[in-house]
Amino acid sequence: MKTIGICIPTIEGGVITLQEIGREAARRSIAYPQIVTHTPIYGDLEQALKSGNNQLLVELITDSINRTAKAGAEFAIISANTPHIVFDDILTQSNIPVLSILDVAANYCKMQGYKSVGVLGTTWTAKNRLYNGPLQERGMAAVYASDIDQTIVMDAILHELINGIFLEKTTGELVRIAKELATRCDGIILGCTELPLVLTEQNCGIDVVDTTRLLSHAALDFAKD
């Protein structure tokens, strides 16, 4: 079984990813693979995103992936959606193959037969229309929250969720936004690896696409091949 490398931009999402690989292996009654992780400095990533310095973002993520490669990883995943803004450039500079969370999620949506898919994530993910291409290539349309609601989502992610803070009031607002989005789509992509910590099919009242866990399952599949 191949050794998995995980670039972990934010700890909360990274923990779910690592844990889910092990749990999914247990569900399949197989041994879980060897895993090498690296966590780049989040402040550096945030500064690159805020300044629009895509080259720096590529360098930071690629350096993280290549560190896992030096430690024995044979392929890698990035346990975050937003860095996939520069995924194509990351691929050209990575020393090992890298699985795309965008393709994994879009493939799942296609299998579910969705026609339109809501996308919740950081403002960087929303403004860059990160999922438009992968969904459109598979015959689906992407739907996003209003600018006002997107600001609420962004504040929740940056100031609470990535820091392991889960306030009832904030969760209520996120559920409200998801339910509004649900009126315009067939399912909702949780396009931030921390969102599954507070949003579920039960409280949203619609199918949710848990990109964090789907990526974990895809990594396990790839490790077995």
Side-chain angles (χ1 to χ4, degrees):
M1 192 174 285
K2 299 184 187 75
T3 299
I4 303 172
I6 309 178
C7 166
I8 302 178
T10 55
I11 294 294
E12 292 291 327
V15 167
I16 300 172
T17 305
L18 181 62
Q19 185 180 66
E20 185 62 18
I21 291 172
R23 289 182 175 179
E24 180 64 12
R27 294 185 198 108
R28 301 182 189 184
S29 299
I30 62 174
Y32 55 78
Q34 294 186 83
I35 301 171
V36 179
T37 67
H38 179 265
T39 305
I41 297 173
Y42 175 74
D44 293 343
L45 297 173
E46 185 175 11
Q47 182 56 40
L49 287 162
K50 285 182 175 179
S51 65
N53 189 339
N54 285 349
Q55 181 55 45
L56 176 58
L57 183 60
V58 171
E59 291 172 2
L60 293 169
I61 296 296
T62 304
D63 174 70
S64 179
I65 291 169
N66 288 339
R67 285 173 187 249
T68 72
K70 288 179 182 178
E74 296 167 82
F75 74 98
I77 57 175
I78 305 166
S79 62
N81 284 260
T82 298
H84 286 72
I85 292 168
V86 291
F87 186 74
D88 289 345
D89 290 329
I90 289 170
L91 281 182
T92 65
Q93 297 184 35
S94 171
N95 294 333
I96 52 178
V98 186
L99 304 188
S100 167
I101 199 171
L102 307 181
D103 288 336
V104 169
N107 286 338
Y108 176 84
C109 291
K110 181 66 174 178
M111 287 190 296
Q112 297 302 110
Y114 300 152
K115 299 301 181 185
S116 60
V117 186
V119 180
L120 288 177
T122 66
T123 297
W124 298 305
T125 291
K127 293 294 185 184
N128 282 279
R129 294 297 192 253
L130 194 55
Y131 274 95
N132 281 25
L135 290 173
Q136 288 172 0
E137 288 169 7
R138 295 163 176 83
M140 295 171 285
V143 180
Y144 296 85
S146 69
D147 288 345
I148 293 175
D149 283 346
Q150 180 57 52
T151 298
I152 294 171
V153 174
M154 183 69 159
D155 287 343
I157 292 170
L158 290 190
H159 301 133
E160 296 178 28
L161 301 188
I162 68 171
N163 298 312
I165 299 170
F166 312 106
L167 302 180
E168 186 175 343
K169 179 181 178 182
T170 302
T171 297
E173 278 290 272
L174 293 175
V175 168
R176 176 191 64 77
I177 292 167
K179 286 185 173 180
E180 189 285 323
L181 199 57
T183 65
R184 300 185 279 125
C185 61
D186 303 313
I188 296 176
I189 289 175
L190 301 182
C192 164
T193 49
E194 281 77 27
L195 284 176
L197 292 167
V198 292
L199 295 181
T200 66
E201 292 183 358
Q202 288 70 36
N203 63 17
C204 291
I206 191 174
D207 291 349
V208 298
V209 181
D210 186 338
T211 59
T212 318
R213 290 178 172 85
L214 286 174
L215 181 64
S216 301
H217 300 172
L220 187 58
D221 290 337
F222 196 85
K224 285 178 59 184
D225 291 342

